[in-house]
Amino acid sequence: MLEVLRRRLGAKVSTRDADLDLHSRDENYPVVRRPAAVVYAEHVDDVLQTLAWSAEYGVAVIPFGAGSSAEGHVVPLGGEVSLNLSRMNRVVSIQPPDFLAVVQPGLTRMGLNRAVRDHGLFFPVDPGADASLGGMAATNASGTTTVRYGGMRQNVAALQVALADGRLVALGRGVRKTSSGYDLKDLLIGSAGTLGVITELTVALHPTPSHVHTQRVFFSAVPDAVDAAYAIMGSALPVARLELVDALSMRAINRYLDRRYPEQPALFVELHASSAAAMAPEAAEIDEIVREHGARSVSAARDETDRQALWEARHQLYPAIRALYPHRTYLITDTAVPLAAVSEMVAYTGEQAARLRLDVVIAGHVADGNVHSIAALTEHDRERADEYSDALVERALALGGTSTGEHGIGLSKRKYLRAEHGEATDLMIAIKHLFDPRGLLNPGKVVGG
Amino acid sequence: MLEVLRRRLGAKVSTRDADLDLHSRDENYPVVRRPAAVVYAEHVDDVLQTLAWSAEYGVAVIPFGAGSSAEGHVVPLGGEVSLNLSRMNRVVSIQPPDFLAVVQPGLTRMGLNRAVRDHGLFFPVDPGADASLGGMAATNASGTTTVRYGGMRQNVAALQVALADGRLVALGRGVRKTSSGYDLKDLLIGSAGTLGVITELTVALHPTPSHVHTQRVFFSAVPDAVDAAYAIMGSALPVARLELVDALSMRAINRYLDRRYPEQPALFVELHASSAAAMAPEAAEIDEIVREHGARSVSAARDETDRQALWEARHQLYPAIRALYPHRTYLITDTAVPLAAVSEMVAYTGEQAARLRLDVVIAGHVADGNVHSIAALTEHDRERADEYSDALVERALALGGTSTGEHGIGLSKRKYLRAEHGEATDLMIAIKHLFDPRGLLNPGKVVGG
């Protein structure tokens, strides 16, 4: 079978050890398993050829972008071929007057931002990693700027998708709004390659805000920080980022990046405005709110370098934790809850970590109710880690929340799907069968089967 | 069959002339046709009973909210039963700390806003009419505030939906973000009752902006107004509304509301900010932009009454046109195009109206690229009206746009579905068959069949 694929696609098909290893894991999922081969697609025809071969020989395909997912999305169950899209990384067109760009799925978000910067535009979705845009759409990624700009569903206007049956379809339109037909574009976003392979995206660009104000605010306790964040959300201020990190996170960041931040719970707040005159009173309002909620120290980024350093610290949290607790495996929880429940969710997370004697740091996109924790696990913690994850998801669902705010179900959170969606899970399975009756697209992910 | 339904639901089933007439039309679709009966559901059980009866006897059901759709969504093909949800109009719960409310589908947007106002919150989606929230979700309504707050997909977090097979499912979660499973919530939004009946909605509320600034700006020609709107969009200012109306629209509004506005093309601009100090420089920036683009006169609403009057004028455009051209039928076009193409779309609309000798006014949510025109038709215009509509949609699609920005496909725009979506249309039809294999949910709408 592989010989046929190789005959058709030549050197784009690899079974070299290094390639198989690269496609055997994601950024966090504990299981490592090699695919049968890797196809490096360079053109949409390569994708269609691979899918045609897949249908012919019954070999399943896993779309692979930058491999930066965290829930096992790209990890083979056994026997699949990895379809690497990183060479399909062209900017097809930039349409500054439309605030749109058309891109190939292997382009990363940073690559896109470099390409559009000189037009005074930027692509706002920022999950931390320099993920591929196709992968970000496949997982419905979001991140630090979601509170202001939305996640991938809000920032992808249209998709070109290769289906299991070999058709290439256009979903959505390159417009800011449409009520035409069923919303298949958003059905594909977040489907993790289980319904089709994204071969092109039309993404929204935004005018670069001419004035950005960043504050870091330290508190003596996490509940104070959460309450302050909550008050900021009620203010209708133009908040573009609002991030919580706990004291242990700050310690990890200090050690990893050799910084001297206070090792206390912190909020990182960013405002975007169109003029300095508008910014000043808004920054003052933030200042007032955090002081009312017991802020211990407030400092504003003095310049762009300072601002970048501040966000770099937040983005480096995950490697910082790995450096603080080396030779561990890491469980990342990703629950999101209604806003008023964030405080309870954060407290419960701390309690469960203590009860189960796990090393846990807490950080969250608190403006969106999305609370992450990272548990650094020794080999003796495995069973208690499951208990920890289950407890957090159970509590999040009881609070009206979700098992995953932005990482996706992948493999690791499949066990929570039915608890969260009830009978709607059966509709999801039926849709999977409709799009992929033979189960050849990223099998086992999201809906299982 | 109807006797069985009446036995089960009693006086909630009506075949009175007045009720049949009320459910024989929408706000604009030219065909009037009575349903076989009307069920006034008072509880989700009534919906389930009606669907069970529908399945038993093979009689199709049309969900009906406020009847304010414009594309024939609620108009029977013949033989259907109308399922009126207007009595299911309770606010189930308001959760101010979560910025969420749970409501029944028959509640109108104004009813919701009255209920949440005292919490300092509001529901932003504003299509003009006091539509039901269930109907707004079913058509993926948006309107004047979309540029800032998004449409229904962005402002509905979760749905409870009754399916054709009698199951009651929960789609989505009451959180600001989730990547859990397939996005069935957004699939149902905009499906116009063809995939299920919405029986409950969890909607997003927003903090009422403490400072609102409204400007009306008159120009000597439409292209100047469009160019100014476009420049405003590139400014990253906190624009919450940005509306274009042409000179004939202003004349209609003046006559209908007895106003003395200049009868020139106008932009209505609204900014939302959290403080007066932030607002002033932003309003000044708008002022500068519009003057650079040839504004003839700029005036700011002096107070809330003035502001309401201004928006009332915009919202009353449709009845004003009806009053200006009485005893006509009205064709409303609803194309949306990429932003840079708005100017061309507006010009083309005017050209086609002139060529086909139709009485047409133009108004648009220009910030979203959504250009409406209303053609007031005599009985002699019917054929040329079809030509007009076809020409506009053809041009919009050629420009990368959509046949319907916010009204939905309904019956009147079905002929454009395949031109817009190509083979993805077949996926839509397959999904319709999956959810409603016997075609008992609002047959003929959106995907036909």
Side-chain angles (χ1 to χ4, degrees):
Chain A
M1 300 174 298
L2 274 181
E3 310 81 68
V4 176
L5 189 61
R6 197 170 264 130
R7 208 174 315 133
R8 294 178 188 171
L9 292 172
K12 295 170 189 169
V13 181
S14 169
T15 49
R16 284 186 300 267
D17 282 342
D19 289 321
L20 299 181
D21 282 345
L22 185 68
H23 295 78
S24 67
R25 62 201 319 151
D26 69 11
E27 225 172 60
N28 186 62
Y29 191 67
V31 175
V32 174
R33 195 181 288 115
R34 286 175 163 195
V38 179
V39 177
Y40 286 93
E42 294 176 6
H43 189 276
V44 64
D45 285 343
D46 299 335
V47 174
L48 295 175
Q49 290 252 26
T50 305
L51 292 177
W53 172 86
S54 157
E56 225 171 309
Y57 292 94
V59 178
V61 168
I62 302 176
F64 189 103
S68 55
S69 56
E71 309 291 346
H73 289 87
V74 296
V75 178
L77 298 184
E80 298 98 320
V81 164
S82 256
L83 177 55
N84 183 305
L85 298 152
S86 65
R87 293 182 188 171
M88 288 177 63
N89 63 351
R90 278 196 312 119
V91 177
V92 178
S93 68
I94 305 174
Q95 303 160 28
D98 295 328
F99 303 100
L100 292 174
V102 179
V103 301
Q104 290 189 320
L107 182 69
T108 69
R109 64 176 187 91
M110 290 182 189
L112 173 60
N113 273 317
R114 280 189 296 272
V116 302
R117 189 166 39 195
D118 289 347
H119 298 282
L121 298 169
F122 79 115
F123 180 74
V125 185
D126 175 8
D130 189 19
S132 71
L133 291 158
M136 287 170 66
T139 53
N140 186 34
S142 47
T144 55
T145 61
T146 316
V147 55
R148 168 83 172 224
Y149 298 98
M152 288 303 278
R153 291 208 174 96
Q154 288 77 47
N155 286 285
V156 175
L159 295 174
Q160 184 192 64
V161 175
L163 300 177
D165 64 11
R167 280 181 296 175
L168 197 63
V169 292
L171 309 180
R173 303 287 288 178
V175 289
R176 296 172 65 93
K177 58 193 257 192
T178 173
S179 285
S180 176
Y182 298 153
D183 185 9
L184 301 184
K185 183 267 288 180
D186 286 317
L187 183 66
L188 265 285
I189 292 180
S191 68
T194 64
L195 302 180
V197 180
I198 296 169
T199 51
E200 195 174 275
L201 305 90
T202 304
V203 300
L205 304 173
H206 297 259
T208 309
S210 40
H211 294 268
V212 175
H213 178 84
T214 308
Q215 276 169 314
R216 52 182 168 242
V217 187
F218 291 96
F219 295 85
S220 33
V222 166
D224 292 345
V226 171
D227 290 349
Y230 187 70
I232 291 168
M233 286 304 292
S235 68
L237 283 161
V239 173
R241 288 182 159 111
L242 184 49
E243 296 287 311
L244 169 76
V245 291
D246 70 356
L248 189 52
S249 298
M250 290 311 302
R251 186 192 306 174
I253 288 167
N254 277 343
R255 290 209 190 168
Y256 184 65
L257 296 175
D258 193 23
R259 298 283 192 271
R260 298 287 173 276
Y261 296 117
E263 294 181 359
Q264 291 181 320
L267 278 186
F268 293 4
V269 192
E270 188 166 292
L271 298 177
H272 288 182
S274 60
S275 69
M279 182 65 83
E282 286 165 345
E285 205 176 324
I286 295 278
D287 215 75
E288 191 178 324
I289 292 172
V290 297
R291 288 185 196 282
E292 272 169 16
H293 287 84
R296 297 289 296 270
S297 78
V298 183
S299 57
R302 290 174 304 276
D303 54 27
E304 182 60 22
T305 313
D306 206 11
R307 197 179 77 76
Q308 293 289 357
L310 193 152
W311 285 113
E312 184 209 9
R314 169 64 187 84
H315 278 152
Q316 297 295 320
L317 179 58
Y318 185 52
I321 301 301
R322 297 179 84 109
L324 186 66
Y325 297 109
H327 315 298
R328 305 271 188 111
T329 57
Y330 308 88
L331 167 75
I332 309 179
T333 66
D334 179 38
T335 58
V337 294
L339 276 196
V342 169
S343 203
E344 176 173 349
M345 197 64 219
V346 170
Y348 186 76
T349 301
E351 285 159 30
Q352 294 304 306
R355 179 176 74 81
L356 294 161
R357 289 165 287 116
L358 297 173
D359 294 317
V360 166
V361 304
I362 297 174
H365 313 302
V366 280
D368 301 306
N370 189 194
V371 180
H372 292 300
S373 76
I374 306 174
L377 309 173
T378 69
E379 55 189 305
H380 308 297
D381 293 337
R382 199 62 54 85
E383 207 169 300
R384 280 173 292 124
D386 281 347
E387 194 180 339
Y388 174 75
S389 173
D390 293 352
L392 263 49
V393 170
E394 195 182 321
R395 177 59 64 100
L397 296 182
L399 291 167
T402 177
S403 61
T404 173
E406 58 183 16
H407 290 177
I409 291 288
L411 283 172
S412 41
K413 294 186 164 59
R414 279 185 308 173
K415 59 179 172 174
Y416 306 128
L417 196 69
R418 191 167 290 273
E420 180 163 348
H421 298 287
E423 287 198 90
T425 312
D426 299 321
L427 285 176
M428 294 180 193
I429 292 169
I431 284 176
K432 166 70 176 175
H433 288 161
L434 179 67
F435 278 74
D436 179 25
R438 297 170 59 202
L440 296 175
L441 293 174
N442 209 359
K445 315 300 161 59
V446 186
V447 293
Chain B
M1 301 172 297
L2 274 181
E3 312 79 70
V4 176
L5 189 61
R6 196 169 265 131
R7 209 174 313 131
R8 294 178 189 171
L9 291 172
K12 294 169 190 168
V13 181
S14 169
T15 49
R16 283 185 301 266
D17 282 341
D19 289 320
L20 300 181
D21 283 344
L22 185 68
H23 294 78
S24 66
R25 64 200 318 151
D26 69 11
E27 225 172 62
N28 186 62
Y29 191 68
V31 175
V32 174
R33 195 182 287 116
R34 286 176 161 192
V38 179
V39 178
Y40 286 93
E42 294 175 6
H43 188 276
V44 65
D45 285 343
D46 299 335
V47 174
L48 295 174
Q49 289 251 23
T50 304
L51 291 177
W53 172 86
S54 159
E56 223 171 309
Y57 293 94
V59 179
V61 168
I62 301 175
F64 188 104
S68 55
S69 55
E71 309 291 346
H73 288 87
V74 297
V75 177
L77 298 184
E80 299 97 321
V81 164
S82 256
L83 177 56
N84 183 305
L85 298 151
S86 65
R87 293 181 188 170
M88 289 176 62
N89 63 351
R90 276 196 312 119
V91 176
V92 178
S93 67
I94 305 174
Q95 304 160 28
D98 295 327
F99 303 98
L100 291 174
V102 179
V103 301
Q104 291 188 322
L107 183 68
T108 69
R109 66 177 185 92
M110 290 184 190
L112 172 59
N113 273 317
R114 280 189 295 273
V116 303
R117 190 166 40 198
D118 289 349
H119 298 283
L121 298 169
F122 79 115
F123 180 74
V125 185
D126 175 7
D130 190 20
S132 72
L133 292 158
M136 287 170 66
T139 53
N140 186 34
S142 47
T144 55
T145 61
T146 315
V147 54
R148 169 81 174 226
Y149 298 99
M152 288 304 278
R153 291 209 174 97
Q154 289 76 47
N155 286 285
V156 174
L159 295 174
Q160 185 192 64
V161 174
L163 301 176
D165 65 10
R167 279 181 295 176
L168 197 63
V169 292
L171 308 180
R173 304 286 289 180
V175 288
R176 296 171 66 94
K177 60 194 257 194
T178 173
S179 285
S180 176
Y182 299 152
D183 186 8
L184 301 184
K185 183 266 288 180
D186 286 317
L187 183 66
L188 265 284
I189 293 179
S191 69
T194 64
L195 301 179
V197 180
I198 295 169
T199 51
E200 196 174 275
L201 305 91
T202 303
V203 299
L205 305 173
H206 297 258
T208 309
S210 40
H211 295 267
V212 175
H213 178 84
T214 308
Q215 275 168 315
R216 58 184 161 238
V217 187
F218 291 97
F219 296 84
S220 32
V222 165
D224 292 345
V226 171
D227 290 349
Y230 187 69
I232 291 169
M233 286 305 291
S235 69
L237 283 160
V239 173
R241 287 182 161 111
L242 183 50
E243 297 287 310
L244 168 77
V245 291
D246 71 357
L248 189 53
S249 298
M250 291 311 303
R251 185 193 306 172
I253 288 168
N254 277 343
R255 288 206 192 171
Y256 184 65
L257 296 174
D258 194 23
R259 299 282 193 270
R260 298 289 174 273
Y261 295 117
E263 293 180 0
Q264 292 181 319
L267 277 186
F268 293 4
V269 192
E270 189 166 292
L271 298 176
H272 287 182
S274 60
S275 69
M279 181 65 82
E282 286 166 344
E285 204 175 328
I286 295 277
D287 214 74
E288 192 178 324
I289 292 171
V290 297
R291 287 186 196 282
E292 272 169 16
H293 286 83
R296 298 288 297 269
S297 78
V298 183
S299 57
R302 291 174 303 274
D303 53 27
E304 181 60 21
T305 312
D306 205 12
R307 198 180 76 77
Q308 294 289 355
L310 193 152
W311 286 113
E312 183 210 10
R314 169 62 187 85
H315 278 153
Q316 296 296 319
L317 179 59
Y318 186 52
I321 301 300
R322 296 180 84 109
L324 186 66
Y325 296 110
H327 315 300
R328 304 269 189 112
T329 57
Y330 308 88
L331 166 74
I332 309 178
T333 66
D334 180 37
T335 58
V337 293
L339 277 196
V342 169
S343 203
E344 176 174 348
M345 197 64 219
V346 169
Y348 186 75
T349 301
E351 285 159 30
Q352 293 304 305
R355 179 176 74 83
L356 294 161
R357 287 165 288 116
L358 297 173
D359 294 316
V360 165
V361 304
I362 296 174
H365 312 301
V366 281
D368 301 306
N370 190 193
V371 180
H372 292 299
S373 76
I374 306 175
L377 309 173
T378 69
E379 55 190 304
H380 308 296
D381 294 337
R382 199 62 54 85
E383 207 169 298
R384 279 172 292 125
D386 281 346
E387 194 181 338
Y388 174 75
S389 174
D390 294 352
L392 264 50
V393 169
E394 195 182 321
R395 177 60 63 99
L397 296 182
L399 291 167
T402 177
S403 61
T404 173
E406 58 182 16
H407 291 177
I409 291 288
L411 284 172
S412 41
K413 293 186 165 60
R414 279 185 308 173
K415 59 178 171 175
Y416 306 127
L417 196 68
R418 191 168 289 274
E420 180 163 347
H421 299 287
E423 287 198 89
T425 312
D426 299 322
L427 285 176
M428 295 181 192
I429 292 169
I431 284 176
K432 166 69 177 176
H433 288 161
L434 180 67
F435 277 75
D436 180 25
R438 297 171 59 204
L440 297 175
L441 293 174
N442 208 3
K445 315 300 161 58
V446 187
V447 293

